[in-house]
Amino acid sequence: MKVLVVLVLLGIHNAAAVTHSLKYFYTSSSQVPNFPEFVTVGMVDDLPIDHYDSNTERAQTKQDWMTKVIANDPQYLDRNTQIYLGHQQIFKSNIEILKQRFNQTGGVHIYQVMYGCEWDDETEEVNGYGQFGYDGEDFISFDMKTETWIAPQQQAVITKHKWDNDKARNLQTKIYLTQECPEWVKKYLNYGRSSLMRTELPSVSLLQKTSSSPVTCHATGFHPDRAMMFWRKDGEEFHEGVDEGEILHNNDGTFQKSVDLDLTSVPPEDWKRYECVFQLSGVKEDQITKLDKAVIRTSEAGNHIIIITVIAAVVLVVVLAAIGFLVYKKKTDKRPPSPVENREVQQQMLPTA
């Protein structure tokens, strides 16, 4: 199944603003072995805050600080459980509807939804989105400007006409995505400030598979994910022979990144002219690691460390993709947070196809 995964890196060099997000992912599946028929997860800044699946049929929180939400709203889990139970039936029906639209019978089928918003804490710019997919392809998406639905496939045109005719629901969807959702981003940030707004510096290592392989500068355990990493020669950043990796998730909520340097044409006596630089948003001092053969880890154990951490991060991304779309992607709200997120509106965003 083709799944679109977009990883966004905000560069420190350009003093980029901090973007926070609240997203909900829904996946309904048919005949997928060892996977629940229905799964939901809510995420703040790409960290899961709650979860529900058809095996347990019970909403659960995923972050310690969510106990503060429940303290203000004791019915949070019970109410969400009932909402997700309703969604579970709608999504199951939608798979059957879409199977008929696509002239399908049995086999593995997956219906996915991602909706939510991003909020820029400097410009206050808001971006909302609602996207639906079927069997790994875009099925229908919400156009915020026109308050109508976009159908990239012929089989979605019926759904588009049906949903476009409900103008009141479309307006309510836009209001939620552009007004209510950003307010809840701020509130959740306020609840989870110590976790979501924390700063953690990484452990930086130099790794090399063989003496002729590129040298990898690997940083792991940093937070937030707004970081830059590059090689410098004689104090100047350069890119020749450099291969920069993406920022990846670690299982503990921190991040990792690596950048490779090809030293094939660099004589050993010139190695001292090179250094790896790591910059983390909000931290004034750079972490600088001099290119020194004596500190490069070349043993198989060292290689296993980076391979295992990268695999763990890739597995996490795949799991998140399997339960929804990862697409398109220090101010906080000081007011006391209201106790209930408007899930009634969210229910109306997920009608039958």
Side-chain angles (χ1 to χ4, degrees):
M1 184 184 72
K2 183 173 66 177
V3 179
L4 177 61
V5 179
V6 178
L7 301 177
V8 180
L9 174 61
L10 301 177
I12 292 175
H13 285 357
N14 296 324
V18 177
T19 301
H20 299 285
S21 63
L22 171 61
K23 304 174 184 177
Y24 289 94
F25 303 88
Y26 293 71
T27 295
S28 183
S29 60
S30 173
Q31 299 186 30
V32 177
N34 304 316
F35 193 77
E37 290 187 349
F38 182 69
V39 177
T40 77
V41 63
M43 304 187 76
V44 174
D45 285 0
D46 293 330
L47 287 178
I49 60 171
D50 67 10
H51 172 271
Y52 169 95
D53 65 58
S54 54
N55 288 347
T56 63
E57 293 194 337
R58 180 68 186 168
Q60 301 174 338
T61 58
K62 305 301 290 184
Q63 300 293 326
D64 291 341
W65 53 264
M66 285 294 290
T67 56
K68 300 176 184 178
V69 176
I70 296 175
N72 279 350
D73 178 15
Q75 301 303 313
Y76 179 89
L77 292 177
D78 289 338
R79 184 177 59 258
N80 285 347
T81 295
Q82 294 305 311
I83 290 172
Y84 291 145
L85 279 168
H87 288 161
Q88 182 175 321
Q89 297 307 312
I90 293 174
F91 275 58
K92 185 175 182 179
S93 298
N94 279 344
I95 281 191
E96 295 304 316
I97 291 172
L98 296 186
K99 283 168 63 176
Q100 294 178 16
R101 297 257 189 95
F102 285 86
N103 295 320
Q104 299 166 333
T105 53
V108 173
H109 300 288
I110 296 180
Y111 178 60
Q112 298 174 300
V113 177
M114 187 280 290
Y115 69 88
C117 63
E118 296 175 346
W119 167 69
D120 189 307
D121 71 354
E122 292 186 3
T123 66
E124 297 286 342
E125 181 181 355
V126 171
N127 179 34
Y129 32 74
Q131 297 183 329
F132 295 68
Y134 182 64
D135 285 352
E137 301 288 343
D138 291 340
F139 180 71
I140 196 167
S141 61
F142 187 61
D143 188 325
M144 300 285 292
K145 294 181 179 179
T146 63
E147 298 176 25
T148 59
W149 294 88
I150 300 172
Q153 301 192 54
Q154 182 63 36
Q155 291 86 346
V157 173
I158 296 175
T159 301
K160 169 182 167 56
H161 291 325
K162 178 181 176 181
W163 292 1
D164 279 351
N165 286 334
D166 194 344
K167 298 186 183 302
R169 185 179 70 85
N170 290 345
L171 176 59
Q172 203 167 31
T173 296
K174 180 176 181 178
I175 291 173
Y176 171 78
L177 294 176
T178 60
Q179 299 179 27
E180 297 182 27
C181 181
E183 286 302 307
W184 269 96
V185 172
K186 302 171 190 177
K187 292 180 173 84
Y188 280 128
L189 288 172
N190 195 35
Y191 280 123
R193 173 187 295 272
S194 61
S195 175
L196 297 171
M197 308 292 280
R198 73 188 189 279
T199 298
E200 293 186 22
L201 295 175
S203 170
V204 180
S205 303
L206 296 181
L207 307 170
Q208 191 176 32
K209 187 175 182 180
T210 68
S211 59
S212 60
S213 301
V215 172
T216 297
C217 186
H218 181 245
T220 185
F222 60 88
H223 191 280
D225 64 344
R226 292 169 291 279
M228 290 290 290
M229 196 173 186
F230 53 90
W231 283 96
R232 242 174 10 200
K233 177 183 178 182
D234 297 332
E236 298 291 334
E237 181 179 352
F238 73 102
H239 302 282
E240 183 179 355
V242 174
D243 184 12
E244 182 178 358
E246 302 282 359
I247 291 182
L248 302 174
H249 290 79
N250 289 325
N251 290 333
D252 60 359
T254 61
F255 301 90
Q256 62 172 289
K257 182 177 174 61
S258 63
V259 57
D260 295 345
L261 173 62
D262 185 355
L263 294 170
T264 304
S265 59
V266 179
E269 59 269 21
D270 285 347
W271 280 29
K272 60 185 177 181
R273 301 168 62 187
Y274 295 83
E275 60 189 13
C276 175
V277 181
F278 177 87
Q279 298 177 336
L280 185 64
S281 177
V283 177
K284 293 183 178 180
E285 292 189 9
D286 298 343
Q287 281 188 258
I288 299 176
T289 305
K290 296 286 186 179
L291 180 57
D292 184 348
K293 193 174 185 64
V295 301
I296 296 177
R297 302 170 64 177
T298 58
S299 67
E300 287 299 315
N303 293 329
H304 286 164
I305 289 174
I306 184 170
I307 291 172
I308 289 172
T309 53
V310 169
I311 289 176
V314 171
V315 167
L316 178 59
V317 171
V318 170
V319 169
L320 292 177
I323 60 177
F325 293 118
L326 293 183
V327 294
Y328 304 114
K329 71 148 186 6
K330 265 89 198 157
K331 305 171 186 176
T332 56
D333 191 354
K334 301 299 183 180
R335 297 169 293 173
S338 56
V340 180
E341 189 178 358
N342 193 347
R343 291 299 178 89
E344 180 181 352
V345 173
Q346 295 176 43
Q347 279 185 280
Q348 296 178 9
M349 291 172 58
L350 305 172
T352 56

